[in-house]
């Protein structure tokens, strides 16, 4: 799946189309910042819609306290019976005498191959799941991740995925788990590129921060699951079977004048991507991406450019962006002195940038509002929720209003005035953070194709971004 742990490619191909929307006219500067909206559309190619189960390896890790053991064992048994035949799987649960995660199934060996008899035995063996022993230190998320990493090293299949089902029993890390030198981040660095991971959080006693760190670094999804979590496991496996490419790099090749390149996924998930450099190609930046299935992804591409020696008034190709066999150029024109940059997008690109920036600010404010409620910081939460509501009203994002209403009253949506209620349920707040992180599409407008449009009244041709016909004045 990654450069450190290669695996065979999937047999199901995916067709990709990349497009770039950028404001064409820019002011030159020795440290100019160029923002571009990058959109990638993936389409399944071929007759099959599902990856063969033989291509998948899944580790199910169950981390629950004693009071949830019975319900968790029943849910796990139901999930195991629903696995597709041919899937490679192993089940971890509880901890052995040394504190390492204990193997629940298979009874011999490290991996099992799903089939009618094997799934029946695995479901029966789910009763062996042992909760964390009283008085024993929690196992810790890094230990679960390390156990999964060792298992996947023995199963070099194209799609390798961890399903960590937890009620928070394992979290024993002191300090901030998001810090680069924390034990969790160190283990995540070892796991990145080797497998992906989803987190199914049951109950409400878990801390969202380490769980979100896991799914963001390992390109998975956070799920707020009930104690009877079997349907959530089945849905996760079904989603994995829609993955047609476990990893694809977004490659950005730049002119020598470009000093810095950053790429941030904005939809369906928010995450900053890390570039991989090749010594033999110093001006190429490869950003690994994971779990490609048919659909659309949006990215914010930012360049820092020294334009002090570039020519003025001509189109320059600052970069090319490639993913798979699809490539698109990033073109800008430095304006001569005294020529103002237009605020609109007509004729110059950048039509979706404003919408994407507004949506990103809105989702950031919504997330910060929920963070401020755990622990309760009412003033900060109301300020952030107010900003999210105001921006949501501007772009018609109704789902944001629904999320705010779960914890606050919207007094004036257009002005962004909200009031957090006198009692806020902690479980609702923590589940809300997972829902926000799981991603919502931004519903951005399509990039212009460059084709002219025809006025329906006088049939006069107009540019692709024209709002009025210049011949008869009709609004287009």
């Amino acid at each position: 799946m990654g450069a450190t742990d290669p695996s065979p490619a999937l047999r199901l191909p995916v067709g990709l189309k990349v497009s770039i929307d950028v404001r064409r006219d820019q002011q030159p500067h020795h440290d100019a910042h160029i923002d571009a909206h990058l959109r990638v559309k993936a389409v399944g190619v071929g007759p099959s819609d599902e990856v063969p189960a033989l291509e998948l390896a899944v580790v199910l890790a169950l981390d629950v306290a004693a009071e949830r053991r019975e319900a968790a064992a029943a849910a796990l048994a139901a999930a195991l019976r629903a696995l597709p035949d041919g899937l490679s799987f192993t089940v971890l649960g509880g901890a052995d005498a040394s504190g390492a995660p204990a193997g629940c199934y298979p009874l011999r060996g490290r991996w099992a191959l799903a089939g009618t008899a094997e799934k029946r035995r695995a479901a029966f063996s789910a009763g062996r799941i042992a909760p964390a022993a009283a008085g024993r230190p929690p196992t810790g998320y890094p230990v679960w991740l390390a156990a999964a990493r060792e298992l996947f090293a023995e199963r070099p299949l194209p799609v390798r995925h961890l399903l960590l089902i937890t009620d928070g029993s394992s979290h024993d890390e002191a300090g901030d788990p998001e810090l680069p030198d924390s034990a969790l981040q160190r283990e995540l660095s070892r796991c990145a590129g080797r497998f992906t991971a989803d987190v199914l959080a049951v109950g409400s006693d878990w801390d969202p921060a380490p769980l979100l760190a896991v799914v963001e670094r390992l390109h998975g999804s956070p799920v707020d699951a009930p104690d009877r979590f079997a349907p959530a496991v089945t849905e996760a496996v079904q989603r994995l079977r829609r993955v047609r490419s476990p990893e694809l790099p977004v490659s950005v090749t730049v002119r020598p004048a470009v000093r810095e390149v950053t790429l941030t996924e904005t939809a369906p998930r928010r995450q900053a991507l890390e570039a991989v450099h090749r010594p033999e190609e110093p001006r190429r930046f490869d950003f690994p991406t994971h779990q490609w299935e048919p659909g659309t992804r949006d990215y914010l591409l930012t360049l820092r450019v020294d334009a002090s020696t570039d020519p003025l008034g001509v189109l320059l190709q600052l970069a090319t962006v490639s993913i798979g066999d699809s490539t698109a150029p990033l073109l800008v024109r430095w304006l001569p002195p005294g020529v103002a940059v237009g605020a609109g997008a007509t004729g110059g690109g950048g039509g979706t940038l404003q919408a994407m920036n507004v949506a990103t600010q809105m989702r950031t404010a919504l997330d910060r509002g929920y963070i401020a409620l755990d622990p309760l910081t009412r003033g900060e939460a109301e300020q952030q929720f107010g900003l999210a509501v105001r921006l949501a009203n501007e772009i018609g994002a109704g789902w944001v209003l629904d999320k705010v209403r779960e914890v606050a009253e919207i007094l004036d949506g257009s002005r962004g005035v909200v009031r957090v209620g006198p009692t806020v349920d902690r479980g609702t707040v923590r589940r809300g953070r997972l829902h926000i992180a799981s991603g919502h599409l931004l519903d951005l407008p399509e990039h212009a194709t460059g084709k002219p449009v025809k006025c329906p009244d006088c049939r006069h041709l107009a540019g692709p971004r024209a709002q009025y016909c210049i011949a008869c004045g009709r609004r287009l």
Side-chain angles (χ1 to χ4, degrees):
M1 292 179 64
T4 58
D5 193 13
S7 62
L10 288 174
R11 291 196 291 266
L12 296 183
V14 60
L16 297 158
K17 181 181 179 181
V18 58
S19 57
I20 297 176
D21 194 30
V22 63
R23 191 177 65 192
R24 187 65 54 84
D25 293 333
Q26 300 277 350
Q27 289 285 4
H29 192 268
H30 72 277
D31 189 22
H33 282 66
I34 307 296
D35 287 334
H37 172 206
L38 172 65
R39 169 166 283 181
V40 183
K41 288 188 175 181
V43 180
V45 178
S48 178
D49 292 329
E50 285 190 334
V51 173
L54 288 168
E55 306 277 9
L56 277 64
V58 175
V59 171
L60 295 99
L62 187 61
D63 164 43
V64 296
E67 59 269 20
R68 282 198 168 86
R69 178 199 172 282
E70 184 176 349
L76 179 61
L80 292 169
R81 284 191 290 266
L83 293 178
D85 289 349
L87 175 82
S88 294
F89 73 99
T90 188
V91 182
L92 300 177
D96 59 22
S98 67
C104 171
Y105 198 85
L107 303 180
R108 295 182 181 86
R110 306 262 279 178
W111 287 92
L113 196 65
T116 302
E118 198 76 39
K119 290 188 290 186
R120 184 173 60 248
R121 287 193 291 267
F124 179 76
S125 300
R128 300 176 63 226
I129 289 287
R136 178 183 294 166
T139 305
Y141 298 133
V143 181
W144 288 104
L145 293 170
R149 175 168 51 83
E150 293 176 4
L151 284 165
F152 284 123
E154 303 175 6
R155 212 68 167 180
L157 293 177
V159 178
R160 288 166 285 178
H161 195 75
L162 167 66
L163 284 169
L164 176 59
I165 306 157
T166 181
D167 62 359
S169 297
S170 264
H171 185 45
D172 65 336
E173 196 167 12
D176 187 349
E178 298 179 351
L179 292 176
D181 61 346
S182 68
L184 178 59
Q185 289 296 338
R186 289 196 300 270
E187 182 55 41
L188 286 173
S189 296
R190 300 183 187 102
C191 296
R194 299 179 181 271
F195 61 92
T196 53
D198 287 350
V199 169
L200 275 60
V202 297
S204 60
D205 294 332
W206 34 267
D207 180 0
L211 302 183
L212 292 174
V214 169
V215 296
E216 288 167 4
R217 190 67 184 274
L218 300 184
H219 306 276
S221 298
V223 179
D224 165 35
D227 282 357
R228 303 287 181 175
F229 53 77
V233 172
T234 301
E235 164 57 26
V237 174
Q238 290 174 343
R239 181 178 57 79
L240 289 175
R241 298 194 69 184
R242 296 192 294 267
V243 173
R244 287 175 170 254
S245 181
E247 178 181 325
L248 283 171
V250 177
S251 298
V252 183
T253 305
V254 300
R255 297 181 68 223
V258 177
R259 294 174 169 174
E260 184 178 304
V261 180
T262 59
L263 187 67
T264 302
E265 182 179 327
T266 58
R269 300 185 183 95
R270 289 181 298 165
Q271 53 184 335
L273 304 181
E274 295 184 9
V276 177
H277 296 282
R278 299 184 180 185
E280 67 274 16
E281 296 181 272
R283 291 197 291 274
R284 174 173 169 173
F285 299 79
D286 287 338
F287 296 89
T289 62
H290 297 264
Q291 291 195 357
W292 280 90
E293 57 187 270
T296 299
R297 296 192 187 187
D298 290 292
Y299 300 89
L300 176 64
L301 173 63
T302 301
L303 308 180
R304 287 182 57 196
V305 187
D306 180 3
S308 57
T309 60
D310 279 345
L312 304 178
V314 297
L315 283 178
L316 299 173
Q317 183 170 307
L318 293 185
T320 57
V321 179
S322 301
I323 181 167
D325 295 329
S326 182
T327 301
L330 193 159
L331 304 173
V332 302
R333 176 170 46 223
W334 304 119
L335 295 181
V339 179
V341 175
T346 302
T352 62
L353 271 176
Q354 182 178 0
M356 185 173 68
N357 288 335
V358 169
T360 300
Q361 294 174 33
M362 173 191 70
R363 288 167 59 166
T364 300
L366 180 64
D367 189 36
R368 288 175 176 172
Y370 267 88
I371 291 174
L373 292 181
D374 188 16
L376 180 62
T377 308
R378 191 180 305 275
E380 173 68 13
E382 291 178 345
Q383 180 181 355
Q384 296 294 338
F385 284 143
L387 175 59
V389 165
R390 180 171 60 79
L391 296 175
N393 274 277
E394 289 182 11
I395 64 175
W399 69 270
V400 172
L401 305 181
D402 292 339
K403 293 308 298 180
V404 172
R405 289 191 181 102
E406 291 183 7
V407 292
E409 180 183 3
I410 300 176
L411 303 178
D412 189 333
S414 61
R415 293 174 53 218
V417 180
V418 304
R419 181 174 59 200
V420 174
T423 59
V424 179
D425 179 70
R426 189 180 187 186
T428 301
V429 171
R430 295 188 164 187
R431 287 190 293 269
R433 287 191 62 186
L434 291 193
H435 292 165
I436 296 166
S438 64
H440 293 264
L441 293 180
L442 302 184
D443 296 325
L444 298 175
E446 293 291 328
H447 293 179
T449 62
K451 297 180 180 179
V453 296
K454 189 174 289 187
C455 175
D457 282 356
C458 70
R459 314 304 294 172
H460 186 83
L461 290 177
R465 297 181 183 275
Q467 298 182 17
Y468 294 91
C469 175
I470 62 172
C472 68
R474 176 189 170 96
R475 183 176 181 88
L476 301 177

